[in-house]
Amino acid sequence: MIIQMTGHAHDFALSDVLRLFFGRVERPRPDRLSAGEESWYLESLVHTGTESPSSAAPVQMDSAEVRTSLWLTEADQMANQPPFLIHEDFVPLENVRRELKRQLYVLLERITDVHFPWGSLTGVRPTQVVEQILADDPAPDQAQAELVEIWRVSPQKADLAIRTSLSEQRVLAQLPADTPLIYAGIPFCPSRCAYCSFISQDAHRRKDQLEPYVEALLEEARRIFAALPVRSPAFYLGGGTPTSLPEPLLERLLTGLRATLPLMKNAEITVEAGRPDTLAAGNLRLLREFGATRICINPQTFHEKTLQRIGRHHSVEQIVEAMTMARAAGFDHINMDLIAGLPGETPEDFADSLEQLLLLDPESVTIHTLAIKRSSRLAQELEPSGQGDLAINRPDPALMDMVARAQDRLVASGRHPYYLYRQKDVAGGLENVGFALPGHECRYNVGMMSDRLAVIGLGSGAISKRVDGRKVSRVPNDKDIAHYIQRLDELVARKLQLFAI
């Protein structure tokens, strides 16, 4: 498959679609992509007139509406036959990228007879698409039809996207407009999971970095909020695993944040306490004194062999003990995560983990599908076996059924889907979904994932974003801990410039 891009430079968008079907994508020249066998020659065209590819006029950037089209020729017949039109449409200029992806997906689905559960919705949050559809026509049946027929989403995933989007809108309606969310990241964990490529460091190996990092984060917070007159309805202390910090340092962090963060009365405060082996009565007491209203304790699985295989150095017994201690400390909103598709696990294993989790009765549950990051240990282990991007992303009926059954089980337990997002390199092309009992939806998760509220991000690797209508501007902090500390003055200045009124 060779794709010539004419009148546009949306190579990353088209590469996302090509990668689904063919795995590796090459770029032999700036305006051309190549993937799989070179049996077909495509021209992806954006222009303003009714011309054929050979006579197309370039798009003017002030055009309100443009023509997008896809032309196809068999590669070995290029000299003998003209290209023939596969798709065309007139779309607003801001929708060109999504339409080009849709056109390419529909063609490749037809050629390969491979059907991905989320269709052409790569690199986009499905609930955002649903929101836009419902804004034009509020009938859910019409949204279902458009997702299935136009965007090629499976009926089951279309229904999930609509239900989640409606829940998301209810949560957003409760959040004050024009108020930022606040995130602070602690990039340290007790150990590194096999599937993780996050910036987190092993805390026990980086003891010399712990205190300087905490002091730098608190200094960043002091400078930012001394200059920005904001109040926030939700704060998320994530990681990594903040509770992997030694108790005296965790107390210093929480005391400093409590004195600095401009939180509204009754603000939601979430703390990532994901590793059960980091929890004790002492640090749980510190979280309560800090004002945490929600914590996350993340088993990922309830099977000892899998926990060891993926590098999580805790036991199932410690998961239960952590929940017992958290309840005793007074936490009445606890989230727990499970991951579907972990190496070596069967559908029966995953279903058993879910039942064990439900016995602990957390208020919210997130079902993740395994995403294998390129620099993770698991990705490196898969590479010699020949299981590359293509095998990971390929539709997997058994995995799809496993995830669907888990989602149905959570709905039957009284929990409903309230936020949804997708990642690259995710097994089976599936998704991550948060389920919650009514009134226990995480405001931060909804506001951040919806791109409807600004986020002020603190700490290494944290991303701040400003939202102006549909326009989202982002400024990242340096991922490297040493560089983050060294460049603090510059990073603070960039952030203040982002939010300058």
Side-chain angles (χ1 to χ4, degrees):
M1 182 70 64
I2 300 171
I3 298 185
Q4 171 67 39
M5 295 173 290
T6 302
H8 71 89
H10 292 295
D11 53 308
F12 289 110
L14 297 183
S15 293
D16 279 349
V17 179
L18 285 172
R19 197 174 292 113
L20 282 178
F21 291 90
F22 301 111
R24 192 178 304 276
V25 178
E26 297 180 355
R27 190 178 179 183
R29 66 189 210 194
D31 61 347
R32 184 167 290 187
L33 300 170
S34 175
E37 297 180 1
E38 298 182 353
S39 302
W40 297 95
Y41 178 87
L42 289 172
E43 184 155 11
S44 176
L45 185 67
V46 176
H47 55 123
T48 54
T50 57
E51 306 90 344
S52 65
S54 60
S55 60
V59 171
Q60 302 299 315
M61 294 313 294
D62 59 354
S63 303
E65 190 173 65
V66 296
R67 182 187 181 207
T68 61
S69 55
L70 193 63
W71 301 74
L72 178 67
T73 309
E74 290 185 62
D76 59 359
Q77 296 295 320
M78 287 174 58
N80 303 320
Q81 64 182 36
F84 54 95
L85 183 64
I86 299 297
H87 296 289
E88 69 173 341
D89 203 356
F90 283 91
V91 297
L93 192 59
E94 64 267 21
N95 293 345
V96 163
R97 177 178 176 273
R98 191 178 297 174
E99 176 60 18
L100 292 173
K101 292 173 66 174
R102 189 193 73 82
Q103 290 179 357
L104 179 58
Y105 177 88
V106 171
L107 174 65
L108 295 182
E109 186 183 54
R110 187 189 312 168
I111 289 174
T112 63
D113 198 29
V114 175
H115 309 274
F116 289 87
W118 287 100
S120 64
L121 297 185
T122 65
V124 62
R125 294 190 179 125
T127 54
Q128 292 180 349
V129 177
V130 173
E131 182 187 357
Q132 293 170 19
I133 295 172
L134 293 177
D136 295 331
D137 186 338
D141 288 349
Q142 287 298 110
Q144 172 94 7
E146 183 169 335
L147 287 170
V148 172
E149 295 168 15
I150 296 178
W151 300 104
R152 309 300 298 164
V153 177
S154 76
Q156 294 79 9
K157 298 306 179 189
D159 179 66
L160 175 63
I162 292 167
R163 285 188 292 141
T164 307
S165 180
L166 293 173
S167 295
E168 185 179 87
Q169 294 309 309
R170 287 192 290 271
V171 175
L172 287 170
Q174 301 169 15
L175 293 174
D178 302 321
T179 57
L181 309 168
I182 303 173
Y183 174 86
I186 304 299
F188 301 101
C189 282
S191 63
R192 189 166 180 170
C193 297
Y195 47 77
C196 181
S197 66
F198 192 58
I199 60 172
S200 55
Q201 310 281 326
D202 292 355
H204 67 282
R205 297 180 183 176
R206 298 289 188 271
K207 292 181 180 180
D208 59 323
Q209 291 184 325
L210 300 181
E211 186 172 352
Y213 178 81
V214 166
E215 290 302 323
L217 187 149
L218 290 175
E219 179 63 18
E220 182 186 16
R222 283 189 286 266
R223 293 192 202 176
I224 292 294
F225 297 119
L228 289 180
V230 298
R231 303 290 284 177
S232 177
F235 169 64
Y236 198 110
L237 181 60
T241 310
T243 48
S244 64
L245 295 175
E247 274 188 32
L249 190 55
L250 178 64
E251 183 173 17
R252 191 191 312 179
L253 170 69
L254 297 176
T255 300
L257 289 173
R258 186 168 60 244
T260 307
L261 296 177
L263 298 178
M264 294 178 177
K265 185 180 180 180
N266 299 321
E268 173 189 87
I269 300 176
T270 297
V271 178
E272 188 73 47
R275 295 294 193 92
D277 47 330
T278 67
L279 293 179
N283 57 19
L284 285 167
R285 175 184 54 79
L286 292 176
L287 297 185
R288 287 291 293 166
E289 291 174 353
F290 174 59
T293 60
R294 178 180 184 269
I295 63 171
C296 304
I297 300 174
N298 302 329
Q300 314 302 22
T301 177
F302 279 76
H303 294 274
E304 303 278 3
K305 290 183 178 179
T306 308
L307 289 169
Q308 295 180 24
R309 188 182 298 121
I310 63 176
R312 292 179 73 87
H313 299 163
H314 64 81
S315 64
V316 172
E317 183 180 359
Q318 285 176 302
I319 298 170
V320 177
E321 289 174 352
M323 284 291 288
T324 301
M325 287 190 294
R327 294 300 192 196
F331 287 101
D332 58 7
H333 185 177
I334 299 175
N335 176 80
M336 303 189 86
D337 288 2
L338 288 181
I339 298 179
L342 287 171
E345 287 210 341
T346 66
E348 292 74 22
D349 292 333
F350 184 67
D352 176 69
S353 287
L354 180 57
E355 292 305 320
Q356 292 193 57
L357 179 149
L358 289 174
L359 287 174
L360 298 175
D361 201 23
E363 284 70 27
S364 58
V365 178
T366 306
I367 299 294
H368 295 271
T369 307
L370 179 66
I372 302 179
K373 304 300 184 181
R374 295 179 185 277
S375 59
S376 68
R377 174 166 63 85
L378 191 54
Q380 295 166 5
E381 291 173 356
L382 289 173
E383 193 63 34
S385 68
Q387 298 183 54
D389 296 341
L390 185 59
I392 293 166
N393 290 311
R394 222 47 174 175
D396 182 337
L399 182 61
M400 290 170 64
D401 182 66
M402 179 196 317
V403 170
R405 288 175 181 271
Q407 293 173 351
D408 289 345
R409 178 70 180 91
L410 285 167
V411 170
S413 75
R415 298 164 177 85
H416 63 274
Y418 76 95
Y419 87 106
L420 183 159
Y421 68 101
R422 302 187 60 232
Q423 296 170 277
K424 289 185 178 180
D425 305 316
V426 63
L430 292 171
E431 70 284 332
N432 307 314
V433 186
F435 292 79
L437 294 171
H440 289 86
E441 302 86 356
C442 177
R443 295 180 223 159
Y444 177 88
N445 284 342
V446 172
M448 189 270 293
M449 288 294 174
S450 67
D451 280 344
R452 292 275 293 276
L453 295 178
V455 176
I456 298 173
L458 309 171
S460 67
I463 297 176
S464 297
K465 63 181 178 182
R466 178 173 178 167
V467 179
D468 296 301
R470 287 194 182 183
K471 180 183 178 183
V472 179
S473 304
R474 293 177 171 84
V475 168
N477 277 354
D478 203 305
K479 292 182 178 180
D480 182 272
I481 292 173
H483 291 170
Y484 162 72
I485 295 172
Q486 294 165 6
R487 298 178 58 209
L488 193 61
D489 290 347
E490 175 191 348
L491 297 173
V492 168
R494 288 174 56 195
K495 198 165 304 174
L496 292 178
Q497 184 178 11
L498 173 70
F499 292 105
I501 299 174

